[in-house]
Amino acid sequence: MSNTVFSLCGMCTVRCPIRVEVENGQVTWIEGNPHILDGALCAKGSAGLALLADDERPQQPLIRRGGRGAGRWEGVSWEIVLDFVAEKLKGIIARDGARSVILSCRGGPFIDPARAFLKALGSPNFTDHDSACGRNVHHASLSVYGLGRVDLAYDIKNTKHLVLFGRNLLEALKVGEANQVLDMLDAGGRLTYVDVRQTITGLKATRFFQVRPGTDYALTLGMIQGVIKAGAYDQEFVSRYSTGFDQLAAFVEPYTIEWAAQECGIKAKSLHGFIDELGEDRPKVIFHPGWMLARYRDSFYASRNLHLLNVLMGNIEIKGGQILAKGAKDCGKKGIRNLVDGIPQPTEKRADGVGWKHTRFDKGPGLFQLFYETMQTADPYPLKSLFCYRHDPLTCFPDPAAQKQALDHLDLIVSIDTHYSEFGWYSDVILPESVYLERDCGISIQKGPKPRLIYRRQAVAPRFDTKPGWWIFQQLAERLGVGQYFPYQTIEDLWAWQLEPTGLTIADFEQKGFVDLADKPVLLALDKLANIYKTPSGKIEMVSEKLTKEGIATLKPYASPLKPPEGMFRLVFGRTAVNSHGHTINNPLLHELLPTNTLWINKREAVKLGISDGDWVDVSADGVSGVIKAKVTEFIHPEAVYCIHGFGRQVPLQSRAYHAGLSDQKLQVGLLNDMDPVGGGLCLCEGFVEVRRSSNNLKRSVEL
Amino acid sequence: MNTYLIYLNSKRCIGCHGCEVHCKTNKSLPVGPILCEISHEPLRSARGVPKTVFSFRSCYHCEDPQCVPVCPANAMQKRADGIVHVDQEKCIGCMACQNVCPWSIPQLNPVSGKAIKCDYCLDRVDLGLKPACVSKCTTHALKFVRLVEV
Ligand code: SF4
Ligand code: SF4
Ligand code: SF4
Ligand code: SF4
């Protein structure tokens, strides 16, 4: 007998809704939830079966016995490991206070128990990976609308023109979104793609701008100037809802289309053609403000301009534009309960300085990389322990060697994850979480034009001695004397407690795997639109009042990026549809598809260096180097080299991924402290590497 | 007479190789055999945009398949609806079918020691479902087409 379980994929952070078939305790089939995705799923989604079957993951709690990173683990029971961690933490808290504990995660809908745990301890130092991801976009969004980056959703399916700056959304893939893009193209919509190299997203584009790396800000300035000059913007919308237009118009005056074309290395004629198209397509034009935009020193400003271009299009709260993400209240419903809400706010200031020293940043999760400095200086106070829940900072942030130096100041490092991360391997304790098919998660609201409540449901029993996150944090909380904030023993208790105000029960989820809070997309009436912006002025701010008060120029004069010295290149990185960051590289079926990465290098540059397609090349930066095969192509800018992120892993127990390919973050030497001063994002593409033909290439052929 | 065809709308295909994994997991295949294949030509610039198209290949389910008569165990069979498939019970793993197939389509499953090839997911088709690769294609680019006689 086979039975159906509706759940959420866990192979990447998109968490597509899935339908799982289980027969005799075995998963036999996973597909995209037919109610939402009509079966569609990506390669990773199907490879969840291989993850489940894989033995190369932590199989029981592990306590480090040798030196950090030496890989000498002692397998212990949950009783022992939880007591061990609790005792250590008690000692740390007694000496240095709860504030000396940091907890980081990778965000997402199911972090409530983790956040609640840290808050219950009394530490303000909750953080996440976002400074290596969307912080610049988020801060840019706040400075324009007073709304966070997830407060606006994009109605891509119904738009006429989607503009993407390096947002490679057909490879950094969300199944639902990819289908929206293709539906939009099928309906005759346009796609403009901007990148330093060609990607699969770019293949589908109706217009492609291959720009010089680091010039996105220049291109957006030229676009704004072009739009204003051509009058291709919504004057009524702009004057009604925004402030600062005249300053913006005056500021962009010198940044003409011809100037931008020259700076970016593209054709002015094509850029004019693009502006003409905007005139035809607006207001149904979406400029994607970026997702992972921890790239350049002016990425914040580039993203801000993309937000402003949306405003100029007047695309807010319309079909085919940006639609405000709605919550339960907007649908006239009561929301769910979350554990964090019932816990008193810690009174200490954050150790990363966010909120008091760095007042320009959104407090939220702060900025992880700033903790590294505090670990070493103990200023404003000492840090002693770091928990990473589903987060691998050694893969996600630059310069792992520098990170390890800072981590060595800590007394307790704990990794809670389903797989061996690079961070886990360097930790003192690994608390293995069951993989997504083996665990339940709490309930969460998925805000959007049509919000819904979602949950993750266990499909099969754990194969090994692993546990779900909600249980791990509850157990730790109990041992640390803050169990009262975790009013549950079982997941059913937790679900019931969360759902109580809503009048729903968990049975309401079983039919489809989610509960819709609205029957159709909720659009605000036009007269309500004036009151949604949470900026100081209550309007869309083309010039940010808050930044001005901080002494930061909102309209920043453009500075051209450095040109790499001879023989050197700017190292850029990206994603593929068959892997998510570092954590699927060792999956048997995904490894079969993509066992390693390559270094894309421009053909002309390769010829100069005597590099042929498929040659091994040495890539080095400041004493760190790696070897990788070259992929020689015309379709990357000569100043850049590119590789897929996530490879070059160094966990020996991951036999397939071990030392396969090159790790970009190891070559990002010195970039750990290189932060966009206004956006808070790291500048991961601000490093240069040297590329040479490697001596590993065969020098002679001995065999006939 | 062949009844079925898998058609790829290359305008929608994003070369994500999902279909290959959907197929493998449906048949519980180990690392090694891949029964369908997404490939593409090198990129070429078309009106300023470097382009290529993806193509999908599984098995041609030939009208007159060479793999069928060559099979010494009568394991390779063509059904009345045109589906060419391997009877796993009968297959002895000699791989004569692979040798004779112009595209070397049949592959050895290293775990079972038997030949395996695309069979249009006939067990699913017989239940009125679509093949795995089609059902789960990331972008609904693959279509399972039932041919009608004209
Ligand atoms: S995009 Fe793929 S891996 Fe990510 S959640 Fe969706 S199906 Fe899973
Ligand atoms: S799953 Fe669909 S979109 Fe992806 S490669 Fe296969 S046919 Fe193309
Ligand atoms: S295996 Fe080869 S010969 Fe046999 S039906 Fe398929 S394509 Fe034809
Ligand atoms: S039809 Fe079935 S066997 Fe053939 S390629 Fe598709 S999934 Fe594989």
Side-chain angles (χ1 to χ4, degrees), chain B residues 10-32:
Chain B
S10 57
K11 270 180 79 185
R12 282 191 81 94
C13 175
I14 56 168
C16 70
H17 298 266
C19 42
E20 299 173 359
V21 185
H22 303 332
C23 170
K24 289 193 67 151
T25 50
N26 178 51
K27 289 203 164 11
S28 306
L29 294 183
V31 168

Side-chain angles (χ1 to χ4, degrees), chain A residues 9-16 41-42 44-45 173-175:
Chain A
C9 182
M11 294 297 287
C12 82
T13 48
V14 174
R15 299 177 192 83
C16 293
L41 204 64
C42 79
K44 292 166 283 177
L173 183 69
K174 297 164 118 175
V175 173

